[in-house]
Amino acid sequence: EPEVTQTPSHQVTQMGQEVILRCVPISNHLYFYWYRQILGQKVEFLVSFYNNEISEKSEIFDDQFSVERPDGSNFTLKIRSTKLEDSAMYFCASSEWQALSQPQHFGDGTRLSIL
Amino acid sequence: TQLLEQSPQFLSIQEGENLTVYCNSSSVFSSLQWYRQEPGEGPVLLVTVVTGGEVKKLKRLTFQFGDARKDSSLHITAAQPGDTGLYLCAGAGYSTLTFGKGTMLLVSP
């Protein structure tokens, strides 16, 4: 069964450094998402992306964050200058159509640790 | 801001017991999805409920969407150790999911 893959599985970075988290969504899916889950807390929506544009973003997704689909397969989340509070699991998801009617398929996440 | 409250937060039961977990909100959702998440993995979709009053069955799991589309329940019959995991409900917007904090279920042999 097709799946969403994320790399790396664990990223350790110094505070203030830039990080890029990578995702390969399911090939025929059109909507892409990033979520984060701080340890012990709920999964939180960050951003959705469709047709090479951001569809929606949450308050968490400030100017430090950006997303890109640099080619036909990868979907990336960049954090420009990391802070300690950015430490979390970051999940990528994709769906054939919008969340209202279609299930989202999640990757296994990247654990981001900021030192 | 739409909030989803899940209860109980933690449930520890013996194999063979039945259980129900709840997902409640003051907001109406167009659809609601249930996921299961295991340690070190991403959430895996179990079911999507769309119509108020809808009941869906997945083997020993029964999902119900409230008539007003504000709440949902998950009932597991004859729980097995393999059912252990974090059960998350998520309300669907146009292109977002709003998650609850989840119910951590532990089923002991």
Side-chain angles (χ1 to χ4, degrees), chain A residues 25-85:
Chain A
I26 294 174
S27 61
N28 65 330
H29 285 186
L30 301 178
Y31 268 82
F32 314 115
Y33 314 85
W34 282 101
Y35 292 84
R36 78 170 185 193
Q37 186 175 32
I38 294 172
L39 187 64
Q41 298 187 24
K42 64 181 180 179
V43 176
E44 299 174 290
F45 168 76
L46 293 178
V47 66
S48 59
F49 191 85
Y50 169 70
N51 200 27
N52 286 317
E53 288 183 347
I54 290 175
S55 298
E56 280 189 69
K57 59 183 181 178
S58 70
E59 291 175 354
I60 303 167
F61 194 88
D62 61 22
D63 292 343
Q64 296 295 319
F65 291 87
S66 62
V67 289
E68 194 179 29
R69 188 154 162 83
D71 52 45
S73 60
N74 289 286
F75 179 51
T76 61
L77 174 69
K78 182 192 289 185
I79 308 175
R80 191 158 55 89
S81 178
T82 50
K83 309 189 227 1
L84 292 176
E85 54 265 36

Side-chain angles (χ1 to χ4, degrees), chain B residues 62-84:
Chain B
T62 302
F63 303 85
Q64 184 160 9
F65 201 13
D67 290 340
R69 305 209 315 275
K70 292 183 179 182
D71 55 87
S72 182
S73 63
L74 158 59
H75 181 80
I76 302 179
T77 304
Q80 299 176 1
D83 295 327
T84 292

Side-chain angles (χ1 to χ4, degrees), chain B residues 10-32:
Chain B
F10 184 76
L11 189 57
S12 179
I13 61 171
Q14 294 292 317
E15 182 176 2
E17 290 185 36
N18 302 331
L19 66 115
T20 303
V21 298
Y22 300 93
C23 175
N24 295 296
S25 175
S26 58
S27 304
V28 174
F29 287 99
S30 300
S31 68
L32 198 136

Side-chain angles (χ1 to χ4, degrees), chain A residues 31 33 35 37 40-45 48 55-56 89 91 98-109, chain B residues 2-4 30-31 33 35 37 40-43 45 48 50 86 88 92-101:
Chain A
Y31 268 82
Y33 314 85
Y35 292 84
Q37 186 175 32
Q41 298 187 24
K42 64 181 180 179
V43 176
E44 299 174 290
F45 168 76
S48 59
S55 298
E56 280 189 69
M89 282 291 289
F91 292 106
Q98 71 265 26
L100 189 62
S101 58
Q102 290 291 316
Q104 294 185 20
H105 297 262
F106 284 76
D108 283 339
Chain B
Q2 297 177 313
L3 291 174
L4 281 167
S30 300
S31 68
Q33 300 177 8
Y35 290 81
Q37 185 179 20
E41 298 182 9
L45 181 72
T48 301
V50 179
L86 180 66
L88 301 167
Y94 178 74
S95 63
T96 67
L97 285 178
T98 301
F99 280 87
K101 284 190 177 181

